[in-house]
Amino acid sequence: MGKRVALVLAGCGVFDGSEIHEASAALVHLSRGGAEVKIFAPNIEQRDVVNHLKGSPTEEKRNVLVESARLARGNIQDLAELKASEFDAVIFPGGFGVAKNLCSWAVDGKNCTVNEHVNSTLQAFHGAKKPIGLCCISPVLAAKVFPGCEVTVGQDKDIDGRFPDAETASAIVELGCKHICKNVNESHVDKANKIVTTCAFMCKAPLHEIFDGIGTMVQEVLRLA
């Protein structure tokens, strides 16, 4: 029997929601791993709506659950309905929506607050000793909720211009967590907390390398489950 995995989205689109390639990569690797997947998102208003062609905010208002339904092909549930007891693991793709909608990292950095349903979901899986997978910026959720945990967002220095958001690693350390430097095609496993992280688009890399890195994260999550 395949593992039951919950996938949590933050909208649709890199600048104000979930990063579409990361969400798709996670779903492909979960499918290949024989997992049974259900998709969730919080039923809240987005912090902002970005015109992805121009890269600038608009005056629109959009709902995170409604926008996430685009990625889920309509088969999605309110995050408030997620019961950790019904799943073996949970995975969070990245994208700015994580830092804007699932928490306030985009505005407040390490002083951010985490959405109540996101927080309770993380706490429930962690308390049940079930694995949590996070990629791109989403490892900051674990850093905020689980002080002392180990995560990666890639490198802690902007090596050859490939890691422009390397300062995120420093903020994670300031939260009392350990940042582990990893390449884009790798993931890190915090065995004590069953937290698996990979940097994905926190690194400027070819899409296939990002895809492969997410694959290592998914494989480790399924192994731990």
Side-chain angles (χ1 to χ4, degrees):
M1 182 178 176
K3 301 299 182 182
R4 301 163 300 169
V5 180
L7 187 83
V8 181
L9 298 179
C12 181
V14 59
F15 298 128
D16 57 14
S18 288
E19 211 297 319
I20 294 171
H21 298 294
E22 291 178 10
S24 179
L27 287 167
V28 169
H29 287 295
L30 285 166
S31 176
R32 184 171 287 142
E36 176 187 339
V37 182
K38 290 189 178 180
I39 304 175
F40 298 84
N43 186 10
I44 57 175
E45 189 175 290
Q46 291 184 187
R47 177 175 289 275
D48 64 8
V49 177
V50 175
N51 180 322
H52 280 58
L53 180 61
K54 297 180 178 179
S56 57
T58 73
E59 297 300 317
E60 288 183 66
K61 302 293 184 184
R62 296 191 185 185
N63 178 280
V64 174
L65 178 58
V66 172
E67 290 302 297
S68 297
R70 294 174 180 270
L71 283 171
R73 298 172 61 87
N75 188 10
I76 194 167
Q77 293 174 259
D78 187 336
L79 183 59
E81 300 173 5
L82 194 163
K83 296 180 176 62
S85 60
E86 297 177 356
F87 295 91
D88 300 302
V90 64
I91 288 177
F92 290 76
F96 277 99
V98 172
K100 292 179 176 181
N101 304 325
L102 302 192
C103 71
S104 64
W105 187 277
V107 176
D108 303 318
K110 69 181 188 298
N111 298 315
C112 72
T113 57
V114 178
N115 171 272
E116 61 175 318
H117 295 303
V118 173
N119 183 69
S120 62
T121 295
L122 290 168
Q123 295 282 11
F125 278 87
H126 186 260
K129 293 181 169 52
K130 295 179 178 181
I132 298 167
L134 308 121
C135 67
C136 196
I137 191 62
S138 63
V140 302
L141 296 172
K144 186 66 180 181
V145 176
F146 307 119
C149 72
E150 298 178 357
V151 299
T152 188
V153 289
Q155 300 290 327
D156 56 10
K157 294 180 178 62
D158 187 10
I159 302 170
D160 298 326
R162 297 178 72 229
F163 295 90
D165 301 305
E167 71 276 1
T168 304
S170 298
I172 286 169
V173 171
E174 289 176 22
L175 283 170
C177 299
K178 186 173 182 179
H179 180 266
I180 309 297
C181 291
K182 290 285 182 177
N183 292 321
V184 66
N185 59 348
E186 299 175 314
S187 56
H188 176 70
V189 181
D190 177 347
K191 295 179 180 178
N193 291 293
K194 289 193 172 182
I195 295 171
V196 188
T197 52
T198 189
C199 70
F201 278 99
M202 294 291 276
C203 176
K204 290 183 177 180
L207 183 57
H208 71 276
E209 293 184 10
I210 293 165
F211 183 89
D212 291 346
I214 292 171
T216 68
M217 181 267 287
V218 170
Q219 289 165 15
E220 291 292 349
V221 166
L222 294 178
R223 184 181 63 81
L224 289 172

